[in-house]
Amino acid sequence: DAGVIQSPRHEVTEMGQEVTLRCKPISGHDYLFWYRQTMMRGLELLIYFNNNVPIDDSGMPEDRFSAKMPNASFSTLKIQPSEPRDSAVYFCASTTQNPEAFFGQGTRLTVV
Amino acid sequence: DQQVKQNSPSLSVQEGRISILNCDYTNSMFDYFLWYKKYPAEGPTFLISISSIKDKNEDGRFTVFLNKSAKHLSLHIVPSQPGDSAVYFCAAASNDYKLSFGAGTTVTVRA
């Protein structure tokens, strides 16, 4: 398996634009997580899904953030409109029936 | 509210010596603890874990110790190798699989 695949690896966008981050979890994994890494807050959980259903979105910072998982092999994290403070590295991770999650390589988002 | 704390931002160790990384947690509901390793521009990679029913878990050069009464765990790497230079994150989970991470410790192994 190729592991968790995220795209794009880097994204630079202007403030106010919509940004969509994509994730393909490892086949067979039924849990998918979105994390964000910043200097100020470290690695923090934004939202997670189980069997494509959002279970806990309490970490989503604002209504500008939304996440979907239309099927077992694809998830998106959307920011609309984006702001400079959204600049961070966003990680997607997946697992099945244990906490040892596998992480993707991340998307480095820069909002200017 | 930081429930997992790594109070040492950095650690420098000579090749061949032992590296000891420390981690403290505050949430008594945590029952599974993990260490992740991260290289620049890559995602965190799972290294080793321990369940709260154990006090030690060993995997090759890596050993994790858990002291539940003190809410403290540590990672020992022996012997340290240059390839071990990375950022190490301590993480904890309760009955769901959400991970709470510490701030990380940057390990530098000197030749």
Side-chain angles (χ1 to χ4, degrees):
Chain A
D1 199 318
V4 176
I5 299 173
Q6 291 186 246
S7 64
R9 289 296 311 275
H10 302 274
E11 176 80 35
V12 181
T13 190
E14 290 187 348
M15 182 174 63
Q17 296 296 307
E18 177 180 297
V19 176
T20 299
L21 312 181
R22 296 172 175 79
C23 175
K24 176 178 167 42
I26 293 173
S27 176
H29 282 188
D30 51 355
Y31 285 83
L32 183 139
F33 305 85
W34 283 100
Y35 288 89
R36 177 172 71 173
Q37 184 182 26
T38 60
M39 289 292 292
M40 290 296 295
R41 300 175 66 87
L43 268 165
E44 55 180 344
L45 177 68
L46 300 178
I47 185 172
Y48 81 97
F49 296 82
N50 178 218
N51 291 322
N52 313 337
V53 176
I55 303 300
D56 185 347
D57 65 354
S58 59
M60 296 284 261
E62 300 172 33
D63 291 345
R64 298 184 296 106
F65 286 69
S66 62
K68 294 182 179 180
M69 192 164 185
N71 56 63
S73 59
F74 184 65
S75 177
T76 60
L77 178 68
K78 185 176 293 187
I79 308 172
Q80 165 65 15
S82 57
E83 295 183 3
R85 60 193 166 121
D86 302 331
S87 297
V89 182
Y90 291 80
F91 290 103
C92 177
S94 71
T95 190
T96 180
Q97 304 307 318
N98 73 71
E100 297 161 8
F102 291 81
F103 281 73
Q105 292 192 294
T107 295
R108 180 172 293 278
L109 173 65
T110 303
V111 183
V112 298
Chain B
D1 178 24
Q2 197 76 4
Q3 299 185 75
V4 179
K5 298 178 183 178
Q6 295 176 255
N7 292 321
S8 297
S10 63
L11 172 70
S12 180
V13 63
Q14 195 164 9
E15 182 178 1
R17 306 298 289 266
I18 185 171
S19 295
I20 299 177
L21 292 81
N22 294 301
C23 177
D24 298 291
Y25 62 96
T26 57
N27 189 341
S28 300
M29 299 301 291
F30 289 145
D31 59 5
Y32 203 84
F33 305 90
L34 309 89
W35 286 93
Y36 279 82
K37 177 179 180 180
K38 186 181 181 303
Y39 292 119
E42 294 185 11
T45 302
F46 170 74
L47 192 58
I48 192 170
S49 62
I50 187 166
S51 164
S52 60
I53 63 173
K54 296 185 176 181
D55 55 18
K56 177 182 174 181
N57 187 29
E58 190 172 354
D59 183 1
R61 298 185 297 114
F62 303 92
T63 302
V64 56
F65 296 91
L66 175 62
N67 182 334
K68 281 183 59 180
S69 61
K71 293 190 177 67
H72 177 83
L73 63 154
S74 61
L75 174 68
H76 292 207
I77 307 172
V78 55
S80 299
Q81 299 175 353
D84 296 331
S85 295
V87 179
Y88 289 78
F89 290 97
C90 173
S94 54
N95 58 355
D96 53 29
Y97 301 138
K98 301 188 302 184
L99 296 177
S100 295
F101 283 91
T105 297
T106 300
V107 172
T108 303
V109 180
R110 309 186 310 272

